[in-house]
Structures are given as C-alpha cells and as structure tokens.
Amino acid sequence: MANKKTLCFTCNKEKITHSCEGCSKDFCSTEDRQILNNKLHHITHEYNEFKQTMNEQKQNPQKHSLIKQVNLWEIKSIEIIQQKAQVYRKIVIESLRTCINDIEMKSKDLNEQIKQIGEKNEFNEINLNDLRNELMKITEELHNPSNMSIQENSQPFMNDISIILSKKPKFNKWNQNAITVAAGNREGQQLNQLNRPVGIFIDKSKNIFITDCYNDRVVEWKYNAKIGQIIAGGNGKGDRMNQLYCPTDMIVDQQSDSIIIADWRGRRVIQWLNRNQQILIDNIDCYGLATDKYGFLYVSDSEKDEVRRWEMGEYNNEGIIVAGGNGQGNQLNQLHAPRFIFVDEDQSVYVSDSKNDRVIKWRKGAKEGKIVAGGNGRGENLNQFFEPRGLIVDDLGQIYVTDRENHRVMRWCEGKEEGEIIVGGNGGGNQSNQLNGPCGLSFDDEGNLYVPDYWNHRIQKFEVIL
C-alpha cells in the first residue's frame, strides 16, 4: 500500500514507503522485500537439510546423536571396567600371596606336628581328628580365603564389581589430649580414687573395670560415674578368700557374673563368681591373663619366665608351656619378666617381654618365638621399648603396646622395623597430653582408647578421630 513520505524502518531515511501488514513497519522500496526473500530462501534451505537428515535417520537410526552418546558411553564404560579389572587382579594376586604365605606357615606347623606324632608313635583317634580338622581348615582357607571376597553391586545399565577385603588396614588416630574418666583425685583408697591401676577392661556399655593394684581390689566405674564400686577384694591386703594382694590383670565375663583375677603378690589366680571365691591356680607369680576362642586360660609367670595354658575347668594340673620356659634370658626361646599377654584367632601367643624390651610372638606349638615389636635394646627410639606392658593385637595384626617408662602407647605392624607413637610420648607428667608409667590398655566398641595411668592414679580416655 503506497503512502506519503515517511521514515523507512530499514535505511532510516524519509522516503515513499510501503507499510508491511505483517509487522506494521514502513519500508522504502522493494529492496527490503529482497532481503526478506533471501531470509526465506535460507530458511527453506535449512528445512531441506533438516528433512534430508530426518529421512537418513529414519532409514538408519544408528546415526542418531543419542546413539552416538550410547556408543561413547559403551567405549568409556569398557575402558573403566578393564582398568578396574586390572586393579582388582593386582589386589587379589597380592592378597593371595599374603594368604598363601600364611597358609604355608600353618602347613609347616601342621607338618611338624604330624612328624612329631609319627616319631613318638603316641597318638590316638582324638589326635588324628585334630590333625585332620587342621588340614581341612587350611585346605578350605586355600580355596576360599576368609579375608577376601568379591561383591557385585548392580547399577543402572552396568554391573560393577568391587573387591571386599575384610582385613583392610585402618590407621586410626586419637585425640592427643585425654579425658580423665576414672579417679584422677590423687592416690587414695576412697571410691573416687585409685592407687596404681594396672589392668583394665571396657564392656559394651563403656563401664570400666580396673585392677586397683595397691588398693588390693577390683573396681567398676559405670559410664560417666564420679565414683567406682568395689566388685572384688577391698578387704585389706592378704590371702584370705575375700582379699587380694596387688591384682594386675583380669578376665571379665558379665554373662556369668564371673571375674578371673591375676592376684600377683598373692601368687594365685582366683575367680570371683557371683561374689563367691575359688582359687583356680595356686603358687604362681601370675601377672597377665588371656583366653582364646576355645576357652583355654593363659597365664604369664613373671618369676619362671614362661606362659602356661590350662583347659577351662581343668586347673588341677601344671598346664602346658606355650611360651618361654627355658630359663631367664633374651634368646628367642626365652623370656625375662613376661607381663601382659594376648592370644589371637590362631592361638598364637603375644607376650610383652618387659625386661627384654620387646613383644614376642609364639605360634601354637612353636619351640621359640619371633620378635614382632622392639627387641633393639632399651631406649626411646621408634624401634625400641623401655619395659613394655599392656598389649592388644587387632584383627589386622596391628600391635598396640603401652611403653611404660617412655610414657607412651605405640602401634606396630608386624614385619615393620619400627612403630609409631599414637598417644603420649611427651615425657612423664600429669597433663592431658601426658602419661606417667602407663600399664594396661583397652578399646571400647567405638575405638576410643583407655589407658591406666599408673603414677597419676587415673584412667585416661583418648577419643578416636575417624
């Protein structure tokens, strides 16, 4: 539609224009129409290209961009699986080597037992059953390692696998400033005091059982309690049935309300069962106690420099020597003032060999032990001890030891040349980051560490840092 001169929308000049019914703007000439035609041509061309692509994809859907993404995902997924498979093969091979080495050691022990029984020609059906059971056990472990399995986790579009190692090391750390959870009110015999605590046990409710050595009693401190309660002894120093004389260690069985106590200076192992007393083993310089999964009782004798084992309930004999027993000395078949002991799943006995400043491990049936911590002379270096005491070995074979005269607790991994300080090691003292002659040690279910701080007459709790 022709108009008088108006301002052209395109060239911004006053000319004879035509008004566009589509956009209601004024254009000066047909040149602008050409511009619009060009744009239409371009759109038409793009549409034709689109239609061609659509027809191609209709005929061959594999060329769609989504399919390309799927293909790319497939390639990357296969690469990831191959990479993971390579890593897992390496983990399995390394773990199998460790497992087979351990089984080989057990097989040598079994072979030695078979030879000894054959040479002595003194065996019965029970002995043969024991050998057969041990052979079946290590055979099963060879084919199906107990510390390793493969777990498959289903994920969308892909099944991923992961190697589950039940013995994956966990190197926990603990707050270096402890909390006093029992006593700490100087030396004394009141119920809020201790006098040179030695042994300790923490139950599932975090109640604390303590051999209060110089108060000649065993006390229990309920969780968050301000005072303890006497559960054994506490009737003066002596050898009467209701008395104790410097108890050092104990085994607590809460289900049967039983406590087996190493009454060190009383030279006896005594059981308090439902408040009634029974002497289990007499005339023994007992210091440390332990039990194994079969219910055998182990006792360290710091005078005879040996550890003996008794079958539970069969205390009318001399027991069996399972470590030491070859006189006082520092040879691998000897001990010197053994203190605390620990027995693992394989009935190997770990001993804090205090005067030899080492921890020594005796495999079941072995004629001599193997040094697994310390043994490098007395000192304060990381490869040394100064009269080790408390002893715990976890499922990973990590050895926790209270290094008494160095006022610290250490962790050693078997096979390593030195340990590491996990708490203490800041000189003897009574500050929250110090210990003074620590003796036993224990962990609660959360991994918090408890230490009887001997000369500070208190129990220190070091909270775990996960």
Side-chain angles (χ1 to χ4, degrees):
M1 182 172 64
N3 287 319
K4 60 181 180 178
K5 288 184 178 181
T6 56
L7 194 65
C8 176
F9 177 79
T10 303
C11 63
N12 203 28
K13 293 180 180 179
E14 199 169 82
K15 291 184 178 182
I16 299 295
T17 61
H18 300 274
S19 178
C20 176
E21 294 182 358
C23 64
S24 300
K25 293 182 174 63
D26 297 326
F27 297 91
C28 64
S29 70
T30 56
E31 294 177 3
D32 301 298
R33 175 57 56 186
Q34 185 62 39
I35 293 173
L36 294 176
N37 287 336
N38 289 340
K39 287 182 179 181
L40 176 61
H41 178 74
H42 184 69
I43 291 172
T44 302
H45 178 71
E46 288 180 339
Y47 171 78
N48 290 334
E49 286 184 342
F50 156 76
K51 191 173 181 179
Q52 182 180 353
T53 303
M54 183 181 68
N55 289 333
E56 288 176 354
Q57 290 188 356
K58 185 177 179 180
Q59 295 173 4
N60 187 3
Q62 294 293 332
K63 292 186 177 181
H64 196 279
S65 61
L66 291 176
I67 296 298
K68 291 181 179 178
Q69 290 182 39
V70 172
N71 294 340
L72 182 61
W73 169 85
E74 179 185 23
I75 293 170
K76 289 184 177 179
S77 296
I78 291 173
E79 289 177 353
I80 291 172
I81 291 173
Q82 290 175 334
Q83 291 170 3
K84 284 192 174 184
Q86 186 63 25
V87 171
Y88 294 151
R89 287 190 195 99
K90 185 177 179 181
I91 293 173
V92 171
I93 290 170
E94 290 176 354
S95 299
L96 284 175
R97 283 176 183 156
T98 302
C99 181
I100 291 172
N101 288 339
D102 186 58
I103 294 172
E104 188 176 23
M105 292 291 293
K106 292 178 183 178
S107 70
K108 288 180 181 178
D109 291 344
L110 179 60
N111 186 45
E112 185 65 27
Q113 292 179 49
I114 293 172
K115 285 183 179 179
Q116 289 179 3
I117 286 178
E119 290 171 358
K120 292 181 180 179
N121 198 26
E122 294 179 1
F123 55 89
N124 53 34
E125 188 67 21
I126 295 175
N127 301 134
L128 296 179
N129 284 336
D130 288 343
L131 293 175
R132 190 178 296 108
N133 290 337
E134 188 63 24
L135 179 58
M136 291 173 63
K137 180 180 175 182
I138 61 176
T139 302
E140 176 62 22
E141 194 170 345
L142 179 63
H143 295 301
N144 300 295
S146 60
N147 69 325
M148 181 170 49
S149 63
I150 293 180
Q151 178 176 302
E152 184 172 330
N153 301 311
S154 293
Q155 300 292 337
F157 306 115
M158 182 177 70
N159 285 336
D160 191 10
I161 65 168
S162 59
I163 301 298
I164 307 299
L165 293 174
S166 62
K167 292 192 176 183
K168 182 179 179 180
K170 279 181 64 180
F171 297 105
N172 288 337
K173 293 185 178 181
W174 290 264
N175 193 322
Q176 296 302 294
N177 293 302
I179 302 168
T180 301
V181 291
N185 300 300
R186 295 184 295 182
E187 171 188 341
Q189 59 182 358
Q190 301 302 313
L191 291 180
N192 69 341
Q193 294 178 307
L194 297 171
N195 190 349
R196 304 181 200 182
V198 177
I200 188 171
F201 170 79
I202 313 296
D203 70 12
K204 292 182 178 179
S205 301
K206 295 187 177 62
N207 301 317
I208 308 169
F209 296 79
I210 308 160
T211 52
D212 191 7
C213 187
Y214 272 54
N215 278 328
D216 307 297
R217 65 190 185 186
V218 175
V219 293
E220 178 186 3
W221 286 63
K222 297 291 187 182
Y223 181 59
N224 281 339
K226 300 300 181 185
I227 62 173
Q229 60 185 46
I230 300 170
I231 58 174
N235 299 300
K237 190 188 309 292
D239 59 3
R240 296 200 309 269
M241 293 299 289
N242 69 339
Q243 292 180 309
L244 296 172
Y245 187 179
C246 287
T248 51
D249 201 6
M250 69 200 145
I251 296 170
V252 179
D253 185 349
Q254 291 176 296
Q255 290 185 340
S256 63
D257 195 22
S258 166
I259 303 177
I260 298 175
I261 303 167
D263 193 21
W264 183 35
R265 294 306 186 193
R267 296 184 58 78
R268 61 187 181 178
V269 177
I270 186 169
Q271 182 182 42
W272 287 57
L273 177 60
N274 295 319
R275 303 293 178 176
N276 295 315
Q277 300 83 38
Q278 175 188 2
I279 296 174
L280 303 182
I281 306 167
D282 205 358
N283 193 30
I284 181 172
D285 199 53
C286 52
Y287 194 97
L289 301 175
T291 56
D292 63 20
K293 61 184 179 182
Y294 301 108
F296 290 106
L297 176 66
Y298 298 73
V299 185
S300 66
D301 188 327
S302 55
E303 181 181 62
K304 293 183 179 179
D305 301 296
E306 64 186 20
V307 177
R308 287 180 181 261
R309 184 187 72 200
W310 280 265
E311 187 173 346
M312 196 69 79
E314 301 293 332
Y315 303 113
N316 56 352
N317 54 51
E318 295 183 351
I320 299 173
I321 295 175
V322 293
N326 296 297
Q328 185 182 105
N330 62 4
Q331 300 302 308
L332 291 179
N333 68 341
Q334 294 178 307
L335 300 171
H336 188 182
R339 298 304 192 200
F340 286 93
I341 52 180
F342 182 89
V343 183
D344 69 12
E345 285 289 307
D346 298 322
Q347 293 181 291
S348 294
V349 180
Y350 294 76
V351 186
S352 57
D353 192 11
S354 67
K355 297 298 182 181
N356 283 325
D357 303 295
R358 66 188 183 184
V359 173
I360 192 163
K361 175 183 178 181
W362 290 63
R363 287 184 173 272
K364 181 182 177 182
K367 301 301 181 183
E368 63 180 31
K370 173 187 175 184
I371 299 171
V372 291
N376 297 299
R378 176 166 294 179
E380 59 182 13
N381 295 325
L382 292 180
N383 67 342
Q384 294 177 306
F385 287 126
F386 191 165
E387 294 214 5
R389 285 292 196 273
L391 175 62
I392 289 178
V393 183
D394 67 16
D395 293 339
L396 311 174
Q398 297 176 126
I399 306 164
Y400 296 84
V401 188
T402 48
D403 189 8
R404 178 173 171 169
E405 298 303 322
N406 283 323
H407 315 293
R408 64 191 184 185
V409 179
M410 299 191 70
R411 172 169 56 196
W412 289 65
C413 295
E414 187 172 340
K416 299 294 185 181
E417 294 184 357
E418 62 180 33
E420 60 175 324
I421 301 169
I422 58 172
V423 296
N426 300 304
N430 62 6
Q431 300 301 307
S432 62
N433 68 338
Q434 292 180 306
L435 298 167
N436 197 352
C439 282
L441 77 161
S442 186
F443 294 94
D444 65 22
D445 287 346
E446 295 177 358
N448 300 308
L449 171 63
Y450 298 74
V451 182
D453 197 5
Y454 188 81
W455 291 112
N456 284 324
H457 315 289
R458 65 187 182 181
I459 305 299
Q460 296 294 86
K461 175 184 177 182
F462 296 87
E463 295 185 325
V464 67
I465 304 171
L466 299 177

